Amino acid sequence: MRLRQRQVRDIARIVVGLSGGVDSAVAAYLLKKAGHQVIGVTLRTWEAGSGAYSRCCDISDARRTAMQLEIPYYNINSLPEFKEHVTEPFIQSYISGLTPNPCVACNRYVKWDRMLRFADEINADLIATGHYARIVRTDEGRYSVSQAGAAAKDQTYMLYMLTQEQLRRTVMPLADLSKDEVRSIAAEAGLDVASKRDSQEICFVIEGGYAEYIDSHYDGKLPPPGDFVDTDGNVIGRHNGIVNYTVGQRKGLGLALGYPAFVKEIDAEHNRVVIGDASSVMRTEILCRDLNFMSISDIDIGQSIEADVKIRYHHAAAPARLERTDEETLMVRFEEPVRAPAPGQSAVFYDSAKRVLGGGIIQRN
């Protein structure tokens, strides 16, 4: 299967998502420099009770960037969509003993959906983002994303849920640039955000950790403290509530067992956290649901293909075989055990050229 990079050959009217950071600013700058008609937009996705915005929608810096680039700028209230597709599912996942990946859902159901609707409203042709990824197209006409030239900043893992229509109307100008090159371009262009630090945390968790966020934003009663149990079911201590733990976690357990202890499983039904040693969190198989395919349309039931699979953002993709088990699920069988695949997280499938075949949510390990 041969793929070719998506290029914008004609002058286009392009909506650029401005986050207030350096990456999206340079994306807008490069598109304007290439002669395109650029419109900046920021989605206001989350707001604290204090009025503080999330790290993903720094409206003041985004507006300043638009002014410096002399492009039209809009900010759009997307709070209802963000609550429906991101923050509420985030909370419910932890209450259910899962480890969610909020950025994946946000990209498909909030950012891309709302930006494309806005593009249609103003008769724009395309949208653009500052992601470090490359959009490619197969000879069969399907779109996918492939890892960027600067692999250290590759962001395809967070993009695997995008639809064919969303990809068809998207450009990513930073595909062949490193972070240092992006900052250099921003500095040369005189953009104020050239040296702005990147955000590394969950965008809507402004203070404290995710557990504190859940505690302050959930209207119901959170799961209470319960038992730590070993792999044989023996009680070995008390946990502080299952929302405070994720599969593979080692730090913060407060257990002295004479060996390095890890969270092996979160049993939400019985309010237990299962503890094991390092070997207990190694897995050779995971079952995935909520599948989305990119460079291929699907895998037939009973069919299997080879792929490299990432089970979290910073995981080095591992060789595996993908087998379609039924209409809803897909089994991933790794050549070698992988550490702590967490139910609720995403598994993303790559071909040998590091292009996304598809992905899904880990249902069980």
Side-chain angles (χ1 to χ4, degrees), residues 234-250:
N234 301 308
V235 177
I236 56 175
R238 295 284 289 174
H239 67 70
N240 296 322
I242 61 171
V243 300
N244 295 281
Y245 306 93
T246 61
V247 169
Q249 180 177 336
R250 179 180 177 184

Side-chain angles (χ1 to χ4, degrees), residues 104 156-160 307-312 317 346-350 356-360:
V104 168
T156 56
Y157 177 85
M158 298 297 186
L159 302 172
Y160 81 92
D308 293 322
V309 179
K310 293 182 70 169
I311 58 171
R312 51 185 162 267
S346 296
V348 180
F349 322 137
Y350 297 83
V356 174
L357 296 166

Side-chain angles (χ1 to χ4, degrees), residues 54-70:
S54 79
R55 299 184 182 95
C56 274
C57 53
D58 192 332
I59 291 174
S60 59
D61 281 350
R63 182 182 289 112
R64 186 177 302 111
T65 293
M67 291 177 62
Q68 290 183 302
L69 294 176
E70 298 182 334

Side-chain angles (χ1 to χ4, degrees), residues 188-204:
E188 291 175 5
L191 298 176
D192 290 347
V193 294
S195 59
K196 184 176 180 179
R197 293 180 58 185
D198 292 341
S199 174
Q200 302 293 333
E201 307 300 329
I202 300 172
C203 72
F204 52 89

Side-chain angles (χ1 to χ4, degrees), residues 248-304:
Q249 180 177 336
R250 179 180 177 184
K251 296 181 179 180
L253 301 181
L255 295 171
L257 302 177
Y259 60 85
F262 297 82
V263 174
K264 175 180 181 291
E265 178 187 348
I266 298 173
D267 181 356
E269 181 180 357
H270 300 99
N271 194 33
R272 303 186 307 179
V273 176
V274 183
I275 300 297
D277 60 16
S279 65
S280 74
V281 298
M282 303 301 292
R283 293 288 183 273
T284 56
E285 294 183 348
I286 57 174
L287 187 68
C288 297
R289 56 174 173 80
D290 296 339
L291 303 167
N292 186 62
F293 292 96
M294 281 193 170
S295 65
I296 59 175
S297 60
D298 205 336
I299 301 173
D300 293 335
I301 295 175
Q303 181 186 2
S304 65

Side-chain angles (χ1 to χ4, degrees), residues 312-341:
R312 51 185 162 267
Y313 179 58
H314 293 295
H315 177 239
R321 180 162 287 277
L322 314 178
E323 181 181 343
R324 196 72 145 107
T325 46
D326 56 40
E327 292 183 356
E328 303 295 331
T329 60
L330 180 148
M331 181 68 74
V332 179
R333 293 186 170 91
F334 293 96
E335 291 184 5
E336 300 290 340
V338 295
R339 181 185 177 278

Side-chain angles (χ1 to χ4, degrees), residues 65-84:
T65 293
M67 291 177 62
Q68 290 183 302
L69 294 176
E70 298 182 334
I71 61 174
Y73 174 74
Y74 303 85
N75 73 78
I76 300 173
N77 180 6
S78 300
L79 273 67
E81 297 97 324
F82 196 72
K83 181 178 181 181
E84 177 184 357

Side-chain angles (χ1 to χ4, degrees), residues 27-50:
Y29 168 77
L30 292 175
L31 290 171
K32 182 182 179 183
K33 186 178 179 181
H36 300 292
Q37 184 181 355
V38 175
I39 302 96
V41 63
T42 302
L43 304 184
R44 185 155 54 88
T45 54
W46 189 83
E47 190 175 72
S50 64

